[in-house]
Amino acid sequence: MARRGTEFFPDLGAQCDDVGCNQLDFLPFECDGCGGFFYAAHRTYLDHGCAKAADQGRTVVVCPDCGDAIERTAAPAPGQQSEREILDEHVRSRRCDPARKRRPACPVPRCKEELTCCNTTRCKGCGLKVCLRHRFPADHNCATAGVARRAAGGQCGRGAQKKEGGRRPLAVSIRSFKIC
């Protein structure tokens, strides 16, 4: 059992239970296998040589074709299947569908960017999902961008603001402000 805390703060932290370490840590990790307290360098089963580590391990094998995660228990032992055998069984089970792994691509011609949750945006004008490189209406030939440009006199936003005598109009609150 780890000695707790310091002389003045007995409930604060614990000393590492690793053999020969005894480092005091104020945020120790408790091992769910052996119940010992360890600091960051000894927190994993392998780092502190936990005797119950074999009982705790759950690993998965990821299929390179479809991206499915196939669960296996613990590390491969002499009586268990190897990773290759597990993948072969997965392919034979007909659950492996390589078409599921393919992500949609950007619909802009000659753009091969895969659309993921991080690099996808939806155009407000036409509702098309495009990559970040083509997020502006002019970059993906948006149908509503041409209509907006024609309505603004072809200057896309610049001509849309009315000018009074070469100056931009002032807000109502500024126009009615009196300087004494």
Side-chain angles (χ1 to χ4, degrees), residues 52-100:
K52 298 183 180 181
D55 300 349
Q56 303 295 323
R58 283 180 55 185
T59 59
V60 294
V61 178
V62 178
C63 178
D65 297 331
C66 67
D68 267 358
I70 304 123
E71 184 179 354
R72 70 172 174 194
T73 56
Q80 290 183 329
Q81 294 177 320
S82 69
E83 187 172 319
R84 187 75 250 155
E85 291 171 350
I86 292 172
L87 289 174
D88 289 340
E89 185 179 322
H90 171 67
V91 171
R92 282 192 305 268
S93 71
R94 299 190 187 270
R95 286 182 288 160
C96 185
D97 184 14
R100 281 192 306 176

Side-chain angles (χ1 to χ4, degrees), residues 130-166:
V130 293
C131 68
L132 291 177
R133 187 177 299 140
H134 300 110
R135 67 186 177 267
F136 299 114
D139 293 337
H140 67 269
N141 296 328
C142 181
T144 58
V147 174
R149 269 191 227 126
R150 278 184 244 121
Q155 293 185 357
C156 191
R158 289 188 191 130
Q161 294 178 349
K162 293 181 181 177
K163 295 183 179 180
E164 295 175 3

Side-chain angles (χ1 to χ4, degrees), residues 3-25:
R3 292 188 306 272
R4 293 286 186 172
T6 63
E7 183 180 343
F8 298 110
F9 300 101
D11 295 333
L12 183 64
Q15 289 183 320
C16 183
D17 282 338
D18 191 52
V19 179
C21 180
N22 265 354
Q23 179 166 338
L24 179 63
D25 191 3

